Amino acid sequence: MFLSPADQSRSHHPADHIRDEKRRHHPDLSKLMGWKAMRKEADIPEGEWEKEKAWALRMGLTAADTIEDRSIPTFARGELPHYAGINTFLKAPYTEDVTEVGNYDATVLGAPFDGGTTYRPGTRFGPQGVRKISALYTPYNYEIGVDLREEMSLCDAGDIFTIPGNIEKTFDQISRAVSHVFSSGSMPIIIGGDHSIGFPCVRGIAECTSKKIGIVHFDRHADIQEKDLDERMHTTPWFHSTNLPNVPAKNLVQVGIGGWQVPREAVKVARERETNIITMGDMEKMGIDKTAEMALEMAWDGVDMVYMSFDIDSIDCGFVPGTGWPEPGGFLPREALALASKVAAEGICGMELVEVSPPYDQSEITALMGTRVIVDVLGSLVSNGRMGAHRKHIDKPVSLPMGDYSEETHGKRWSTRARSE
């Protein structure tokens, strides 16, 4: 198409002209997400970022005189630089004293356990891997116009003390930790670990409420048989979860199931319990919006809260090689992120991200994908005003005893002075 010199030089920026009714070959930029997001950023406060910088100077000392940016400390503290520091998830505050988790909207917990793995191990290192690569991110997302640091509070309570070689004792530890966080009002975000942790995570929430809980489960595998290799393994969490009195089987929705790794034992249980399976093929035919709508409708039918379980192997293994049971034909990353965000938009009472196995990962891309799922879920909760919606249903909170250590009596940790003979 020939354009006159005037049209060739004509700016398409909305601020530079008044658009006439005639349509041009370029779209109206003011209707694009990029234009809207650019303006939305101006409305996001910056107070927490300024506080973070002041805190870093207090904790890390002021910088050398040659440093022109006086917000930079001598010792790396907080978000910057991304390559330095001792990582928590997203470099959020570390709540070494877990009695403080109730001060935060959400709490990250690691569940470093792969004793339920039936093929490739390594997911015990999943929490470390996800935390490490999460340092790459800032708390701000341009497209949805959310800054997590400014619009919610997040902490990292570290890892649950799991017991290698004893799955039942580990389950008890996980349920206890999750129930503590949930009872405080903070939303638990658990990083696994293999998928066997799904059961104790749900159990930890279920014991703190008399209300009913639905589950949306993203996976390529059904994970609902009673036992595998004579134990409760990572293929069994939803059998035992839906045995809990306030977790109805009819409200379990599994999205992305399919391929050559779905045991017939699991299919029989799903049929008997009348759970809900949406295959990858179903999602392709219906589209993302319809799939999310159906999943939400079935998960929320007659319940008060919904829990999200996201197995990283639900995504095509070409994008997430670092997992225990890789399977081709899964979600594309954009599909997975969109579906998780749409489910979270209605509110969740907790979530787990499982099956990241760093020993099999390439360039940390699987751990990065796990990080992205979590931050997109948090961003969706914030942008849709659903963060903290679960708190009103905590009607049976637990109270766990602490040890009797005190600094007054025992002194600070590692404070004993070296003695010479």
Side-chain angles (χ1 to χ4, degrees):
M1 184 175 91
F2 175 76
L3 295 177
S4 68
D7 280 342
Q8 289 176 11
S9 62
R10 178 177 171 273
S11 169
H12 299 285
H13 197 286
D16 291 343
H17 65 92
I18 300 175
R19 182 171 291 275
D20 57 29
E21 294 301 317
K22 184 178 179 182
R23 292 293 297 171
R24 304 281 181 167
H25 68 290
H26 282 286
D28 181 352
L29 291 185
S30 66
K31 294 181 180 178
L32 296 182
M33 180 183 292
W35 174 261
K36 295 175 182 177
M38 193 182 300
R39 269 131 195 83
K40 187 174 181 180
E41 187 277 335
D43 298 327
I44 300 174
E46 296 182 351
E48 291 301 315
W49 176 228
E50 294 303 319
K51 185 196 299 183
E52 179 90 354
K53 290 188 287 186
W55 172 85
L57 292 173
R58 163 63 182 82
M59 296 296 176
L61 309 179
T62 57
D65 293 342
T66 51
I67 304 298
E68 295 179 12
D69 183 350
R70 300 312 296 172
S71 69
I72 293 176
T74 295
F75 293 89
R77 294 291 183 270
E79 179 184 334
L80 300 175
H82 293 287
Y83 55 81
I86 299 170
N87 288 350
T88 58
F89 182 80
L90 215 61
K91 292 200 173 179
Y94 173 42
T95 48
E96 190 170 22
D97 182 349
V98 297
T99 63
E100 297 175 358
V101 295
N103 298 328
Y104 298 87
D105 291 319
T107 297
V108 173
L109 296 166
F113 182 74
D114 55 15
T117 302
T118 56
Y119 189 56
R120 299 200 309 198
T123 55
R124 69 178 61 188
F125 301 109
Q128 286 183 1
V130 172
R131 285 188 178 105
K132 179 183 175 185
I133 199 63
S134 75
L136 182 65
Y137 278 176
T138 74
Y140 169 63
N141 181 290
Y142 177 72
E143 293 160 292
I144 61 176
V146 164
D147 188 325
L148 298 179
R149 177 167 41 219
E150 302 292 339
E151 298 174 81
M152 66 165 286
S153 55
L154 177 70
C155 72
D156 190 327
D159 288 345
I160 300 164
F161 198 132
T162 58
I163 312 299
N166 195 310
I167 199 166
E168 296 302 330
K169 289 182 179 179
T170 290
F171 282 178
D172 291 344
Q173 286 282 88
I174 293 172
S175 291
R176 188 175 176 87
V178 171
S179 68
H180 167 71
V181 172
F182 188 77
S183 293
S184 77
S186 189
M187 188 187 78
I189 302 167
I190 304 97
I191 304 173
D194 67 54
H195 216 156
S196 68
I197 72 166
F199 162 60
C201 288
V202 172
R203 183 175 66 178
I205 292 174
E207 67 184 24
C208 302
T209 180
S210 62
K211 305 301 179 65
K212 292 183 178 179
I213 302 169
I215 300 171
V216 176
H217 165 221
F218 295 98
D219 208 328
R220 292 292 277 152
H221 316 108
D223 292 352
I224 195 174
Q225 60 204 76
E226 181 177 5
K227 287 185 177 182
D228 192 353
L229 307 179
D230 206 42
E231 295 286 347
R232 301 203 279 191
M233 305 295 274
H234 68 164
T235 47
T236 71
W238 311 127
F239 180 95
H240 303 288
S241 293
T242 55
N243 276 346
L244 298 169
N246 54 341
V247 185
K250 75 178 185 67
N251 296 104
L252 170 63
V253 184
Q254 300 177 281
V255 187
I257 310 302
W260 295 87
Q261 297 172 0
V262 182
R264 292 182 63 182
E265 293 86 350
V267 177
K268 291 172 183 175
V269 175
R271 183 170 61 246
E272 291 165 1
R273 298 199 173 191
E274 298 183 336
T275 63
N276 310 283
I277 290 179
I278 300 175
T279 68
M280 198 64 64
D282 291 331
M283 188 277 296
E284 286 186 301
K285 290 178 183 177
M286 295 189 296
I288 292 171
D289 289 341
K290 186 65 176 178
T291 298
E293 179 186 332
M294 285 187 65
L296 287 165
E297 183 178 312
M298 293 185 289
W300 277 97
D301 183 22
V303 303
D304 305 282
M305 296 178 285
V306 164
Y307 177 84
M308 182 189 295
S309 176
F310 196 101
D311 190 326
I312 204 70
D313 70 30
S314 64
I315 298 171
D316 187 281
C317 62
F319 299 97
V320 290
T323 188
W325 277 95
E327 170 71 358
F331 295 120
L332 298 177
R334 279 196 296 265
E335 295 168 342
L337 295 173
L339 285 166
S341 295
K342 288 178 183 297
V343 169
E346 298 299 318
I348 57 174
C349 60
M351 74 169 290
E352 82 212 16
L353 184 284
V354 295
E355 296 290 353
V356 172
S357 183
Y360 290 93
D361 208 359
Q362 299 292 323
S363 302
E364 302 175 286
I365 59 174
T366 308
L368 179 62
M369 191 67 213
T371 297
R372 182 62 193 266
V373 170
I374 294 172
V375 293
D376 274 29
V377 165
L378 293 176
S380 181
L381 287 167
V382 169
S383 63
N384 289 281
R386 301 304 296 167
M387 181 63 74
H390 66 284
R391 293 191 186 109
K392 61 185 177 183
H393 300 304
I394 306 170
D395 55 7
K396 294 167 53 183
V398 302
S399 179
L400 305 181
M402 296 183 293
D404 60 1
Y405 173 88
S406 95
E407 280 194 3
E408 274 188 24
T409 305
H410 301 94
K412 292 187 176 182
R413 293 174 63 209
W414 286 47
S415 60
T416 303
R417 295 185 178 182
R419 295 189 179 100
S420 58
E421 293 297 331

